[in-house]
């Protein structure tokens, strides 16, 4: 859909300076996602952690000419070709525009809210209904105050059904989303603990979510949920509620029975006097409930046709909730995103691919299937796809499907090959077809791209460390919200990113506009630079032998002694380098590395006598900021540092960045944030000062059951016969040992693992490459089942406390042979 700038100005009630009344068809809130500058309108949204106005200048250089801002500064006035729409609140303007756009369409819209299951229900509905409707839906989990308007903006005349999800975290937020989605059919999944701290009660939160449906024709819900039932009555919405039930045979949709098998479930349901069996390939309770929600929606939309969809129900596929990054064959990297397949989600995935590929010498390759049920002519659709590929600098295209084969001619100036089916591609596959490529896999479910993933994925150890990059962003932004807008942040990614993996972490933080990264040694900084990391990197433990790397890769060293300072000054003079940034470390009580406070006058004298180095920052390290019994000592350190830093700053004659707070310091002594802080272990979701409920778990260490042995009472397990079972037991062998980083001190019942959500003690001594766990109390456990070593339930903190160590040691001990899998929700 296209709007003129003057139309948009009128819709959002903006004061404007319009140089050229151009056409807008794309809304942009993230400067990194730019694809169509000439038809994009950038909304410079201010948040707690960022301000979109900072990116207007860069976007103007990239060809964007349309901006929504809150104030026009002097710099903007120099952009003579730009159209500026000035409003009081940029986010409100975005929401106003989306709400206006929504009013142009009269086809049904399903609005989904609740604490859990929104995205799964949305994607299951798409699988069930895409043959009957041309569906527009939220890409991924776009359910926020920004995501909802961007989703609804994609509505057009070709669509015949909309499915959008809405999430809230604060009271009154749903008032903003209701006119944007304006659902004709409402569906509330359930009410859980998420964001409960922001509401007085679960009922208040439920009422807030239900307010999305004030103007809906119908509200679909689980009538057995007493909380939702009560909230409907309190909201005076019961008269339009249509509930399904497992208890009440008079319910509009009655679930007579649920019969679970090994891999499938039979749902027997009755509505309008007709009883029908639905066979679905799930046995998980949450998925079963999500499918029942979908059946209720389908009865409301097309009651005469639902009983004819038996095959579609049998073929339902589990919804992959995340985009994964994995190592591939022959130096390739895979981005597996078969979560959904449409033009909008393709654009989102390409943005992610582009950010991961920056400065890496990898060819950009997309393996794409036909985009099914798009509702537009293939020539038009794949013409848009080809143009998107051109703008995103895709170098190689592999198309799979009859429509793509027919449209091959649209893809020009690109390496390409097309196959009518996945089978055809698989049969022609040869490993050397791919080498040193960043490969995005984007396929509709019917094309079974998991077969292609298996061919391209590097075959490694069954034990994996899953890393949630969204959790990294959440934790980063949480700490950013505690700081003044002008306070800078250093993120510590030394020791291979605390075991998590430095590059993906660094790239994610760079995308979040982190000010500094910090590594232990110059080699780590070199690796980051080679992977395309361009933001400043601080080296905490530089060595004399690393000067070449420091200068070549612009790595900024911590300087803690006169020997190191003098050596750097001599080397800059020898190389003709001037103003090379360094960071002065002061020892205020930690008694590790650092200058003495009394050294400041001499440091100032040496700095003034040369021009090779310039002090960028001065800092110190708190020794006991995580423990309240040392608060007096921490205050003493801060006092000493403040006085010493002032002396140094005055002595060199220019302003220095000052920082002393580490993770625990940020949590407990925010008043001493000064100019910069250093975020370490808390970035990874581990609070060293006992912060609860604010951080998200970043890592999960997982493996599988290789074999289960029946061991009679009285027999021993493992080396040294240290564990003797007191009952007939089932012992599972799992492929993780001390060579993978599983500490041997967890042997013989000290440590545990999770199987099917239940704790199973480690039996016997941990071996180099394997260990044993007692699964006697998990009778359903079987070969191939997932085993959790740590996650958000069995935490790294808990494991560390059992063996008398710290979480840092647990994370950094994970072996490089354990595959890291990175994902975004």
């Amino acid at each position: 859909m296209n709007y003129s700038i003057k139309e948009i100005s009128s819709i959002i009630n903006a004061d404007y300076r319009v140089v050229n009344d151009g056409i807008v068809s794309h809304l942009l809130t993230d400067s990194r996602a730019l694809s169509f500058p000439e038809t994009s309108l950038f909304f410079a949204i201010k948040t707690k952690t960022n301000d979109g106005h900072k990116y207007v200048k860069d976007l103007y250089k990239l060809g964007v000419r349309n901006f929504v801002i809150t104030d026009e500064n002097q710099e903007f006035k120099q952009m003579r070709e730009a159209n500026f729409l000035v409003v009081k609140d940029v986010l409100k303007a975005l929401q106003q525009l989306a709400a206006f756009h929504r009013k142009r369409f009269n086809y049904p819209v399903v609005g989904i809210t609740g604490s859990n299951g929104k995205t799964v229900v949305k994607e299951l509905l798409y699988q069930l209904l895409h043959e009957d409707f041309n569906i527009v839906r939220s890409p991924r989990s776009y359910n926020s105050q920004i995501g909802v308007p961007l989703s609804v903006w994609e509505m057009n005349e070709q669509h015949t059904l909309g499915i959008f999800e809405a999430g809230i975290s604060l009271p009154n937020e749903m008032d903003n989303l209701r006119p944007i989605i304006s659902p004709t059919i409402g569906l509330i999944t359930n009410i859980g603990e998420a964001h409960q701290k922001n509401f007085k009660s679960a009922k208040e939160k439920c009422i807030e979510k239900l307010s999305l449906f004030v103007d809906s024709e119908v509200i679909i819900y689980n009538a057995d949920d007493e909380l939702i039932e009560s909230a409907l009555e309190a909201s005076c919405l019961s008269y339009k509620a249509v509930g399904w039930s497992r208890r009440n045979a008079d319910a509009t949709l009655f679930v007579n029975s649920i019969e679970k098998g090994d891999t499938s479930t039979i749902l027997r349901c009755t509505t309008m006097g007709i009883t029908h069996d639905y066979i679905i390939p799930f046995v998980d309770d949450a998925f079963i409930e999500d499918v029942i929600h979908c059946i209720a929606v389908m009865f409301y939309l097309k009651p005469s046709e639902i009983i004819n969809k038996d095959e579609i129900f049998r073929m339902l596929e589990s919804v992959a909730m995340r985009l994964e990054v994995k190592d591939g064959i022959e130096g390739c990297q895979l981005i597996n995103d078969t979560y959904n397949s449409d033009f909008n989600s393709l654009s989102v995935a390409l943005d992610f691919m582009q950010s991961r590929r920056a400065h890496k010498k990898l060819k950009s390759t997309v393996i794409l299937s036909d985009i099914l049920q798009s509702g537009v002519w293939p020539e038009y659709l794949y013409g848009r796809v080809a143009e998107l590929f051109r703008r995103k600098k895709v170098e190689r295209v592999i198309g799979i499907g009859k429509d793509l084969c027919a449209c091959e001619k649209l893809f020009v100036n690109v390496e390409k090959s097309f196959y009518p089916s996945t089978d055809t591609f698989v049969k022609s596959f040869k490993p050397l077809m791919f080498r040193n490529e960043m490969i995005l896999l984007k396929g509709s479910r019917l094309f079974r791209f998991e077969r292609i993933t298996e061919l391209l994925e590097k075959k490694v150890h069954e034990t994996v460390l899953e890393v949630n990059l969204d959790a990294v962003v959440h934790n980063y932004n949480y700490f950013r919200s505690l700081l003044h807008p002008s306070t800078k942040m250093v993120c510590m990614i030394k020791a291979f990113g605390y075991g998590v993996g430095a590059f993906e972490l660094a790239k994610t933080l760079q995308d979040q506009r982190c000010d500094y990264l910090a590594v232990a040694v110059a080699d780590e900084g070199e690796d980051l630079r080679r992977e395309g990391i361009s933001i400043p990197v601080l080296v905490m433990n530089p060595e004399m032998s690393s000067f070449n790397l420091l200068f070549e890769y612009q790595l900024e060293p911590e300087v803690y002694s006169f020997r190191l300072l003098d050596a750097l000054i001599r080397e800059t003079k020898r190389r003709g380098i001037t103003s090379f940034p360094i960071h002065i470390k002061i020892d205020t009580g930690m008694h590790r590395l650092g200058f003495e406070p009394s050294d400041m006058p001499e440091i100032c004298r040496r700095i003034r006598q040369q021009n090779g180095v310039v002090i960028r920052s001065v800092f110190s390290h708190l020794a006991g900021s995580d423990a309240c019994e040392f608060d007096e000592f921490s205050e003493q350190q801060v006092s000493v540092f403040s006085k010493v830093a002032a002396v140094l700053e005055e002595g060199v004659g220019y302003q220095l960045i000052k920082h002393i707070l580490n993770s625990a310091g940020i949590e407990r002594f925010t008043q001493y944030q000064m100019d910069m802080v250093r975020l370490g272990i808390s970035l990874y979701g581990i609070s060293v000062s006992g912060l609860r409920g604010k951080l998200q778990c970043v890592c999960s260490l997982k493996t599988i059951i290789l074999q289960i042995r029946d061991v009679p009472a009285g027999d021993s397990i493992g080396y040294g016969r240290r564990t003797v079972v007191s009952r007939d037991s089932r012992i599972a062998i799992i492929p993780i040992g001390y060579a993978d980083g599983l500490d041997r001190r967890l042997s013989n019942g000290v440590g545990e693992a999770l199987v099917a959500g239940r704790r199973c003690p480690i039996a016997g001594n941990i071996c180099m490459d394997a260990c044993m766990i007692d699964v006697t109390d998990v009778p359903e456990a079987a070969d191939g089942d997932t085993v959790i070593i740590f996650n958000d339930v069995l935490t790294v903190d808990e494991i560390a406390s059992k063996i008398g160590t710290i979480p840092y040691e647990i994370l950094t001990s994970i072996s490089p042979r354990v595959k890291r899998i990175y994902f975004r929700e």
Side-chain angles (χ1 to χ4, degrees):
M1 297 294 293
N2 295 329
Y3 290 81
S4 72
I5 283 292
K6 288 185 177 178
E7 280 182 295
I8 292 175
S9 176
S10 175
I11 293 166
I12 65 176
N13 300 311
D15 294 327
Y16 61 87
R17 185 194 83 186
V18 175
V19 177
N20 176 26
D21 190 21
I23 294 298
V24 168
S25 54
H26 299 88
L27 304 186
L28 186 65
T29 60
D30 184 340
S31 61
R32 298 161 296 184
L34 179 65
S35 295
F36 301 91
E38 60 278 359
T39 56
S40 290
L41 174 62
F42 179 66
F43 287 79
I45 295 172
K46 292 181 180 180
T47 66
K48 290 181 180 179
T49 58
N50 212 342
D51 183 354
H53 291 76
K54 295 192 296 186
Y55 310 111
V56 169
K57 182 178 179 181
D58 289 340
L59 286 169
Y60 184 79
K61 291 178 180 178
L62 293 171
V64 178
R65 292 297 179 263
N66 306 308
F67 302 91
V68 180
I69 58 174
T70 54
D71 48 77
E72 188 175 6
N73 60 37
Q74 196 62 39
E75 188 177 55
F76 294 171
K77 291 178 180 178
Q78 297 173 7
M79 302 176 192
R80 303 190 184 282
E81 297 178 6
N83 297 319
F84 286 104
L85 308 185
V86 184
V87 297
K88 292 182 179 178
D89 187 323
V90 174
L91 177 57
K92 292 289 185 188
L94 172 66
Q95 293 170 343
Q96 280 179 280
L97 179 58
F100 179 91
H101 183 68
R102 166 67 181 92
K103 291 177 182 177
R104 298 180 63 170
F105 308 101
N106 295 317
Y107 46 79
V109 169
V110 180
I112 306 172
T113 192
S115 295
N116 301 296
K118 298 184 292 293
T119 303
V120 173
V121 170
K122 178 195 68 185
E123 293 302 318
L124 290 175
L125 279 173
Y126 177 79
Q127 290 186 54
L128 290 164
L129 293 171
H130 74 271
E131 292 182 355
D132 304 296
F133 297 92
N134 182 12
I135 299 173
V136 57
R137 69 198 194 280
S138 311
R140 306 197 70 83
S141 298
Y142 275 35
N143 57 32
S144 67
Q145 298 288 306
I146 296 174
V148 168
L150 294 179
S151 299
V152 170
W153 179 257
E154 299 302 326
M155 296 177 74
N156 63 44
E157 293 94 339
Q158 282 77 44
H159 297 123
T160 56
L161 177 67
I163 308 176
F164 301 109
E165 51 181 295
I168 58 165
S169 58
L170 296 168
N172 304 316
E173 283 189 333
M174 199 63 87
D175 290 342
N176 302 326
L177 303 185
R178 183 172 56 253
I180 302 173
I181 298 178
S182 189
T184 51
I185 301 167
L187 190 157
I188 183 164
T189 56
N190 53 57
I191 299 296
E193 293 299 318
H195 309 299
Q196 186 56 58
K197 62 185 179 296
N198 299 326
F199 295 88
K200 295 176 182 177
S201 65
K203 186 173 180 179
E204 181 191 55
K205 181 171 66 175
C206 187
I207 290 172
E208 171 74 15
K209 289 179 180 288
L210 286 170
S211 68
L212 176 63
F213 309 133
V214 167
D215 301 314
S216 300
E217 297 173 1
V218 64
I219 303 171
I220 293 167
Y221 74 109
N222 177 359
D224 298 334
D225 190 317
E226 294 177 0
L227 174 61
I228 296 178
E229 188 87 39
S230 173
L232 282 165
E233 291 180 9
S235 304
C236 300
L237 294 173
S238 297
Y239 71 96
K240 63 172 72 177
V242 173
W244 60 265
S245 175
R246 295 185 62 184
R247 304 174 191 161
N248 181 7
D250 294 326
T252 305
L253 174 64
F254 176 54
V255 183
N256 306 56
S257 63
I258 298 176
E259 299 176 20
K260 292 185 181 181
D262 292 335
T263 59
S264 63
T265 299
I266 301 174
L267 301 175
R268 177 161 293 173
C269 302
T270 300
T271 189
M272 296 186 297
I274 301 173
T275 300
H276 190 74
D277 288 350
Y278 302 91
I279 301 175
I280 60 174
F282 309 126
V283 294
D284 178 81
D285 288 339
F287 264 104
I288 290 170
E289 182 169 312
D290 292 336
V291 172
I292 297 171
H293 282 308
C294 293
I295 292 172
V297 172
M298 293 172 72
F299 265 114
Y300 187 81
L301 279 170
K302 299 179 81 70
S304 62
E305 296 184 15
I306 184 170
I307 60 175
N308 298 321
K309 289 185 173 288
D310 289 353
E311 189 60 26
I312 293 179
F313 277 97
R314 290 175 187 270
M315 297 297 292
L316 279 176
E317 296 201 13
S318 177
V319 177
M321 292 292 291
R322 62 200 200 185
L323 179 154
E324 292 184 334
V325 181
K326 301 179 179 180
D327 288 333
I329 59 174
E330 300 295 331
C332 293
Q333 193 165 38
L334 307 183
I335 300 176
N336 187 14
D337 186 24
T338 52
Y339 170 71
N340 52 27
S341 182
D342 54 32
F343 184 83
N344 296 328
S345 66
L346 175 61
S347 181
V348 171
L350 284 170
D351 287 335
F352 182 84
M353 178 184 183
Q354 200 171 36
S355 71
R356 285 305 179 270
R357 181 176 166 263
H359 304 291
K360 298 186 77 172
K361 295 179 180 179
L362 296 179
K363 180 189 294 185
S364 59
T365 297
V366 177
I367 303 179
L368 178 70
S369 78
D370 282 351
I371 298 174
L372 303 179
Q373 300 298 319
S374 65
V376 297
W377 290 106
E379 290 82 0
Y380 173 75
L381 172 63
Y382 296 113
R384 291 182 67 200
V385 170
E387 176 62 13
L388 182 66
F389 284 177
R390 184 185 69 80
R391 290 176 179 272
K392 297 295 185 183
K393 297 180 172 59
V394 174
E395 297 169 278
R396 183 182 184 189
V397 177
I398 296 173
I400 298 178
K402 294 179 180 178
D403 286 347
L404 272 167
C405 287
C407 296
E408 177 181 355
K409 64 181 182 300
L410 300 174
F411 296 85
V412 297
N413 300 320
V414 65
E415 184 182 342
K416 59 186 178 180
S417 53
F418 290 81
Y419 303 85
S421 67
T422 303
D423 281 339
T424 311
F425 173 83
V426 170
K427 289 175 182 177
S428 66
F429 176 80
K430 294 180 178 59
L432 294 181
M433 288 171 62
F434 299 90
R435 186 187 293 272
N436 298 324
E437 299 177 45
M438 177 84 72
I439 305 171
L440 171 63
L441 292 113
K442 192 72 175 161
S444 297
R445 289 181 177 84
L446 291 177
F447 285 84
R448 303 280 178 182
F449 266 27
E450 63 270 16
R451 298 171 61 197
I452 299 177
T453 304
E454 289 172 5
L455 293 174
L456 295 175
E457 188 175 356
K458 187 177 180 180
K459 303 302 185 287
V460 291
H461 200 13
E462 296 275 14
T463 299
V464 299
L465 183 72
E466 293 189 346
V467 182
N468 185 343
L469 296 177
D470 286 333
V472 173
V473 172
H474 168 87
N475 298 338
Y476 172 84
N477 284 330
Y478 170 73
F479 283 99
R480 175 64 78 185
S481 73
L482 301 179
L483 307 175
H484 302 310
S486 59
T487 303
K488 298 179 184 297
M489 187 182 288
V490 183
C491 285
M492 313 299 291
I493 59 169
K494 59 184 180 177
F496 193 49
Y498 286 52
V500 168
F503 169 64
E504 283 296 332
L505 200 66
K507 190 68 189 71
T508 299
L509 293 167
Q510 181 167 279
D511 287 348
Q512 295 300 310
R513 271 85 180 192
C514 178
D515 301 289
Y516 263 93
L517 300 174
V519 297
V521 295
D523 290 344
E524 294 177 328
E526 176 192 10
D527 290 342
L528 293 180
R529 290 288 189 245
R530 288 183 179 277
E531 293 288 353
I533 301 302
S534 58
I535 60 177
V537 176
L538 198 161
V539 179
M540 305 300 285
N541 299 309
E543 299 159 329
M544 299 289 189
S545 59
S546 68
F547 283 2
N548 280 336
L549 296 180
L550 295 178
F551 295 129
E552 182 177 354
Y553 293 102
Q554 290 296 302
L555 307 174
E556 303 179 17
E558 166 191 316
V559 177
Y560 48 81
S561 69
F562 285 116
R563 174 173 173 266
L564 181 56
L565 176 62
D566 291 343
L568 279 167
I569 290 173
R570 285 195 302 271
E571 192 63 18
T572 56
K573 183 177 181 181
R574 187 181 73 82
R575 295 172 183 245
I577 293 172
T578 59
S579 300
F580 189 77
I582 62 173
H583 301 260
I584 297 293
K585 175 76 174 288
I586 310 296
D587 179 13
T588 58
M590 180 83 166
H591 297 319
R592 196 168 58 181
L593 295 175
F595 287 99
E596 293 294 326
S598 59
D599 290 333
M600 294 310 103
E602 180 60 22
I603 293 175
C604 294
R605 187 187 69 80
R606 298 189 191 194
I607 291 295
R608 288 195 301 265
Q609 290 180 347
Q610 55 80 56
N611 64 356
V613 301
V614 60
I615 300 176
R616 181 78 174 113
S617 83
V618 56
F619 69 103
S620 189
H621 201 94
L622 296 176
S625 55
D626 57 332
C628 58
E629 62 263 33
F630 300 129
D631 282 359
E632 184 177 348
F633 186 77
S634 296
E635 296 274 1
Q636 179 183 319
Q637 281 192 274
V638 172
S639 176
V640 170
F641 174 70
S642 297
K643 293 173 184 176
V644 171
V647 170
L648 182 62
E649 193 170 56
E650 183 178 359
V652 297
Y654 50 84
Q655 189 172 0
L656 307 178
I657 296 173
K658 296 172 281 295
H659 50 112
I660 194 170
L661 297 187
N662 52 11
S663 290
I666 304 169
E667 294 175 15
R668 302 189 62 244
F669 297 100
T670 314
Q671 68 271 28
Y672 300 130
Q673 62 188 267
M674 301 183 185
D675 304 307
M676 188 157 72
V677 298
R678 302 186 303 276
L679 183 60
I681 192 70
S682 294
L683 179 66
Y684 305 88
I686 299 169
S687 171
V688 289
S689 68
L691 190 68
R692 295 288 179 263
K694 301 290 187 181
L695 306 181
Q696 292 183 2
C697 177
V698 169
C699 302
S700 297
L701 183 59
K702 298 181 178 181
T703 189
I704 64 167
I705 294 176
L706 294 176
Q707 184 184 30
I708 296 179
R709 308 292 301 272
D710 292 319
V711 178
D715 273 17
S716 62
I717 308 296
Y719 285 123
R721 305 193 68 193
R722 295 292 300 276
T723 293
V724 177
V725 296
S726 59
R727 58 177 177 172
D728 291 345
S729 302
R730 299 177 75 230
I731 303 299
I733 297 86
I734 58 177
I736 181 170
Y738 56 79
D740 300 293
L742 186 62
D743 198 296
R744 201 166 182 269
R745 290 172 289 178
L746 293 166
S747 301
N748 302 302
V750 176
E752 297 172 307
L754 294 174
V755 178
R758 277 163 282 180
R759 291 175 177 250
C760 302
I762 293 176
N765 282 322
I766 294 171
C767 310
M768 180 183 290
D769 307 304
C771 71
M772 290 68 73
I773 57 175
D774 189 335
V775 295
T776 309
D777 296 327
V778 190
E780 69 271 28
D783 294 1
D785 282 359
T786 297
V787 179
I788 306 295
I789 305 302
F790 61 71
N791 63 358
D792 57 345
V793 177
L794 180 53
T795 66
V796 171
D797 272 318
E798 179 184 337
I799 295 171
S801 66
K802 285 183 176 181
I803 57 175
T805 187
I806 55 177
Y808 301 75
E809 183 180 350
I810 302 298
L811 278 181
T812 57
S813 296
I814 300 170
S815 167
R817 79 178 186 182
V818 173
K819 179 171 65 172
R820 274 69 172 171
I821 295 178
Y822 305 92
F823 66 91
R824 303 293 299 262
E825 298 292 349

